[in-house]
Amino acid sequence: MALPIFVVPQNGFRLSSEINSRLSSDENAVAVSVLAVPVFFFVFLLQSKGRFPRLLIEDWLLIAYAGLMLVSFVCGMFATGSNKVAVATMLFLQTVFPLLSYASVRLLGESAYRQGTAAKFGENFWWTGSVVLSISAVAYFLQTAIDGGAPTRHNLLTNHIGPFYNPKALRFYPIAYSCFCVAMIARALVIAGSGRLGSLLMSLILLAAIGASHSRTAILTVAIGSALVVTSRFSLSRRNENTRLRLDRRSLPVLLVLLGGFFGGLIAVRDSRSVDRLVETVNTLLEGSQLDEGDTNRGERLKEGLAVAMQPLGSMFQPSVRSRGNVRVVNAESGIVDAAVRGGPIAFLIVGLLSCRFAIRMLMLLNGRPSIQSKYWSVLASAVICSTIFCFANIWINVLTEPFFAQIAWASAGIVVSQLHAASINQQP
């Protein structure tokens, strides 16, 4: 899921390549995870031998979500007699395929639960992903040095590692950095010894990549996630005497200096793509002034998306056609609205309920319920990251339907559901 490898399936598989001076690539390029996750899901399904996890509220909500999207897609095919079947089918697959990452994690989580390794399962997920992203970040820095500087004003990092071009370098890949950086911050506050040093090192690398990426959403994601991790840790230590998670006091000053230097550096530099633009956007909204062209376009897409979302089944996956005959897909630039664009108001309600459920999971941790075992730092990381993705990032970007990042978003949901369920019944690591 974290590998920055994108391919173009058309006319035989080939690597994604840069097509213009901006940080973009072939429009039809997909991450390798989009192709790999369905394969892994069926492998895990066969290995489960019919022993499925007990369905929880989140599971039922996602089954309803997938069923609603299928109904919307089928109705669109029958109601419109569309001659854009290929586009509609791709939109549908783009929406439902990422759910297989959630299902895969739930199957793996159930297997780990039966084997008594539920804690290790979550740790492996966040640790391995952080290692992969840290290595990729270092590779991007090295490639940038080799290229002699950033290719455009949109990013201080180049958009490729050798022949591997990354079309998600502007927005979604930096948010992946943020999520796994938050996981390493949570780990650094719990794990002692060399494990703590490794977590701090990866946090530093990922923070550097986030700062160089100039993504406002990524910066806010790591800020909110880090604040929730520190708050949750203090709350757990004080309110729940049975919790064996203890704050590693030597890590906290280092982390505070690290985060303070990161955000202080961003403010001091005041580059046009992150802090300045964020401050300008907030001031513009408060003053009621005109937004810049990029935010204006996103606002227009949001308005259009809301109008389509009010229809009983949304757009039913049917793209509109511009006056010149070009096929145009309605994109609301918001995960929760984009879900409603494809499935109608009920989809909006389901995603809203899921977001509330993950926020409740976060509040349960803040109040020390359930009791969390010593190795369950990944439960803390999962709950913080998942609630941040669904309750914050989901409002501003289409995290649930964008093929690359949706894999990570739904997998994090599967991790938090599986781990908190195991922790709630005092499953020993």
Side-chain angles (χ1 to χ4, degrees), residues 1-2 4 6 23 31 94 133 140 155 166-180 210 213-218 221 298 331-335 338 342 389 393-394 396-409:
M1 293 180 185
F6 295 80
L23 291 180
Q94 175 182 304
L133 282 169
Y140 280 121
N155 202 318
N166 186 348
K168 307 300 178 184
L170 278 176
R171 185 181 301 174
F172 293 102
Y173 210 73
I175 298 174
Y177 285 140
S178 298
C179 292
F180 286 87
I210 294 165
S213 298
H214 295 291
S215 168
R216 291 176 295 177
T217 306
T221 299
R298 293 181 68 183
N331 180 2
E333 293 279 358
S334 167
D338 204 39
R342 304 179 189 212
I389 290 174
N394 196 31
W396 304 108
I397 59 174
N398 50 332
V399 297
L400 304 184
T401 55
E402 197 286 322
F404 165 68
F405 191 78
Q407 306 284 343
I408 297 174

Side-chain angles (χ1 to χ4, degrees), residues 382-396:
S382 301
V384 168
I385 293 168
C386 193
S387 58
T388 303
I389 290 174
F390 277 79
C391 299
F392 166 70
N394 196 31
I395 298 173
W396 304 108

Side-chain angles (χ1 to χ4, degrees), residues 125-344:
F125 179 86
W126 293 115
W127 173 258
T128 305
S130 298
V131 169
V132 170
L133 282 169
S134 296
I135 293 173
S136 78
V138 171
Y140 280 121
F141 279 115
L142 292 175
Q143 184 68 58
T144 302
I146 293 172
D147 290 347
T152 73
R153 66 186 179 90
H154 292 280
N155 202 318
L156 290 180
L157 293 179
T158 188
N159 63 333
H160 71 103
I161 303 172
F164 300 98
Y165 280 86
N166 186 348
K168 307 300 178 184
L170 278 176
R171 185 181 301 174
F172 293 102
Y173 210 73
I175 298 174
Y177 285 140
S178 298
C179 292
F180 286 87
C181 180
V182 169
M184 288 301 96
I185 289 173
R187 188 178 192 272
L189 285 174
V190 176
I191 302 296
S194 59
R196 179 184 70 247
L197 296 177
S199 302
L200 289 172
L201 176 60
M202 281 191 283
S203 299
L204 176 61
I205 294 172
L206 295 175
L207 282 173
I210 294 165
S213 298
H214 295 291
S215 168
R216 291 176 295 177
T217 306
I219 291 171
L220 289 174
T221 299
V222 75
I224 293 172
S226 301
L228 284 175
V229 165
V230 175
T231 302
S232 302
R233 285 296 296 109
F234 277 116
S235 179
L236 280 169
S237 296
R238 292 179 180 179
R239 296 189 181 189
N240 188 359
E241 296 180 356
N242 296 323
T243 296
R244 296 205 301 271
L245 277 173
R246 288 292 178 262
L247 181 68
D248 187 89
R249 298 185 182 279
R250 289 172 295 180
S251 296
L252 184 59
V254 178
L255 276 174
L256 292 178
V257 170
L258 190 63
L259 292 171
F262 171 67
F263 292 108
L266 288 176
I267 294 172
V269 173
R270 296 299 296 271
D271 59 89
S272 61
R273 298 302 299 174
S274 54
V275 177
D276 259 6
R277 193 173 175 208
L278 180 61
V279 172
E280 179 184 353
T281 301
V282 173
N283 290 336
T284 300
L285 291 174
L286 292 176
E287 297 170 0
S289 305
Q290 181 67 34
L291 293 168
D292 65 25
E293 182 180 359
D295 286 333
T296 299
N297 291 336
R298 293 181 68 183
E300 292 298 324
R301 287 193 289 268
L302 180 60
K303 291 180 182 178
E304 181 182 8
L306 286 170
V308 175
M310 292 301 103
Q311 301 173 17
L313 288 175
S315 66
M316 296 188 292
F317 293 91
Q318 298 304 301
S320 58
V321 178
R322 290 177 176 171
S323 57
R324 296 182 179 180
N326 297 323
V327 175
R328 181 177 182 278
V329 176
V330 177
N331 180 2
E333 293 279 358
S334 167
I336 192 169
V337 177
D338 204 39
V341 166
R342 304 179 189 212

